[in-house]
Amino acid sequence: MADSNEITQAVKEKYGEAASRVASGGAASCGTSPSSKCCGGDPITANLYESGETSGIPEQALLASLGCGNPAALAQLQPGEIVLDLGSGGGIDVLLSAKRVSPGGKAYGLDMTDQMLALARENQKKAGIQNVEFLKGQIENIPLPENGVDVVISNCVINLSADKDRVLAEAYRVLRPGGRFAVSDVVVRGEVPPEVRRNIELWVGCVAGALKDSEYMSKLTAAGFENVTIEPTRVYKVEDARQFLSAQGVDADAIAPQVEGKFVSAFIRAKKPSVS
């Protein structure tokens, strides 16, 4: 089992490589090459955004997306709100959020990867969106003061963290009383054998770490959140991972009964209690 520093470094390298490929005219992939069938290909990252929704958003922001959902749309953002995107990557969800909270609102993007930050800032410049600020840092240590954000969003990033409790505690800290936690992430439903789970998780998220849905809810509650819900948005079938599993020497047909429908993208909602 890798330690937290090794996991963080692995994620940083993978997403730095993905940003560099996009900046060079390619498409993002969290595998080792653009042809990898990891989370850079269908069905995880495909068709997450409506065509009209991304009008005016640079193509490179779309190409750099390695998410598993559309939190900017699902979070029901309102004009005037302050929103923070954890693990903002090429910036697509930040730019979409900035449009939704305008006028009067602002969208922050937080990323630890220099290449992704450079790409995101270039995408912001191309889009001509002013109410955006990209910050460098780790989602386990958010460089913002407490009680200053209305909504925390994230797109398939928290599952990559080696210290999810710390991430959730930080999200709680920066949210204002009554603020909303509204993220897309990969979760596991039911029991899956550890050796099988590891292979599927590598395909789903490139770094093993997806929580069980019940564990995610427990961790949010422990962090202080209330009204926690998990809504599945995509259910992954073994067929979706067949090519990746075959390359790993895994018999997809043999493991199908153990994993079919147990890995899902989900929209996870919670609320920071209001001050009485």
Side-chain angles (χ1 to χ4, degrees):
M1 178 69 69
D3 66 24
S4 60
N5 290 331
E6 290 173 333
I7 292 172
T8 299
Q9 187 60 33
V11 172
K12 190 173 183 178
E13 290 177 1
K14 291 288 187 182
Y15 284 83
E17 291 167 2
S20 296
R21 282 196 292 271
V22 172
S24 299
S29 165
C30 61
T32 57
S33 70
S35 62
S36 168
K37 295 299 182 180
C38 185
C39 52
D42 290 348
I44 297 171
T45 63
N47 305 315
L48 299 177
Y49 305 97
E50 299 291 338
S51 57
E53 182 183 10
T54 57
S55 176
I57 301 297
E59 183 182 13
Q60 284 191 324
L62 285 166
L63 291 173
S65 174
L66 289 168
C68 59
N70 187 348
L74 294 170
Q76 299 180 321
L77 301 175
Q78 301 296 320
E81 289 188 320
I82 306 299
V83 59
L84 167 65
D85 181 17
L86 301 180
S88 50
I92 183 168
D93 294 310
V94 178
L95 299 178
L96 292 174
S97 296
K99 294 169 70 174
R100 291 175 182 273
V101 300
S102 181
K106 182 173 182 177
Y108 288 99
L110 175 64
D111 205 280
M112 66 178 176
T113 309
D114 289 327
Q115 298 96 317
M116 279 295 188
L117 287 167
L119 182 62
R121 287 167 179 149
E122 182 63 24
N123 287 331
Q124 177 192 359
K125 181 179 178 181
K126 290 178 180 177
I129 298 176
Q130 301 300 316
N131 59 328
V132 164
E133 183 176 349
F134 289 102
L135 307 170
K136 183 176 181 179
Q138 297 184 5
I139 62 176
E140 296 86 359
N141 293 285
I142 300 172
L144 287 174
E146 63 183 19
N147 302 327
V149 173
D150 295 297
V151 189
V152 168
I153 66 170
S154 185
N155 199 347
C156 204
V157 172
I158 295 175
N159 76 86
L160 302 176
S161 173
D163 191 348
K164 297 174 180 64
D165 291 322
R166 176 72 177 178
V167 175
L168 301 181
E170 279 289 275
Y172 186 91
R173 179 184 67 82
V174 300
L175 279 169
R176 291 172 177 159
R180 309 192 304 282
F181 178 89
V183 309
S184 293
D185 215 342
V186 175
V187 299
V188 183
R189 301 189 298 185
E191 297 298 329
V192 179
E195 67 277 8
V196 173
R197 175 172 170 159
R198 180 175 181 275
N199 272 294
I200 297 290
E201 282 178 334
L202 286 170
W203 170 73
V204 170
C206 297
V207 174
L211 293 173
K212 289 180 64 174
D213 51 0
S214 57
E215 187 177 9
Y216 215 131
M217 295 181 75
S218 295
K219 286 181 177 295
L220 281 164
T221 300
F225 287 98
E226 60 184 16
N227 301 336
V228 180
T229 62
I230 295 182
E231 175 189 347
T233 53
R234 288 189 179 185
V235 179
Y236 302 124
K237 307 296 185 180
V238 169
E239 188 60 40
D240 297 329
R242 185 174 297 278
Q243 184 170 347
F244 170 79
L245 292 170
S246 297
Q248 300 295 311
V250 178
D251 184 346
D253 292 325
I255 69 168
Q258 303 175 75
V259 301
E260 190 72 20
K262 291 187 176 180
F263 286 81
V264 304
S265 289
F267 188 56
I268 301 157
R269 294 179 174 90
K271 180 182 178 183
K272 182 173 180 176
S274 300
V275 175
S276 57

